[in-house]
């Protein structure tokens, strides 16, 4: 479950491939959609935002990888 302020779909901005997940709201929800051009401009104009995005993506990859580790050795 995603909490208020969560981000999803961010990989689609960087890798234009078919989506790998479906998100459904369980209650009334407000969403913000940002297109690739706007994100590209934001990241170029504000390197600190680019750093934050990279950090968030790395953390998400690390979480995913932890879920792949077989602990039944």
């Amino acid at each position: 479950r995603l909490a208020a302020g969560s981000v999803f779909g961010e990989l689609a901005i960087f890798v234009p491939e078919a989506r790998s997940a479906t998100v459904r709201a369980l209650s009334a929800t407000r969403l913000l959609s940002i297109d690739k051009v706007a994100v590209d401009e934001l990241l170029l104009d504000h390197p600190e935002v680019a750093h934050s995005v990279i950090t968030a993506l790395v953390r998400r990859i690390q979480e995913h990888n932890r879920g792949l580790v077989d602990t039944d050795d």
Side-chain angles (χ1 to χ4, degrees):
R1 291 186 183 233
L2 300 176
S6 293
V7 173
F8 62 91
E10 69 280 2
L11 293 179
I13 290 288
F14 302 105
V15 181
E17 296 178 2
R19 305 297 193 278
S20 61
T22 298
V23 177
R24 289 192 181 104
L26 299 175
S27 61
T29 304
R30 296 177 100 185
L31 301 174
L32 172 64
S33 176
I34 305 173
D35 68 19
K36 180 171 178 30
V37 172
V39 170
D40 287 346
E41 289 175 3
L42 175 68
L43 298 179
L44 287 171
D45 293 344
H46 300 280
E48 70 279 6
V49 174
H51 184 269
S52 294
V53 169
I54 292 167
T55 299
L57 291 173
V58 168
R59 286 189 178 138
R60 187 160 296 185
I61 291 167
Q62 288 173 329
E63 289 174 18
H64 176 75
N65 288 345
R66 277 193 291 274
L68 297 176
V69 173
D70 183 9
T71 58
D72 294 332
D73 290 338

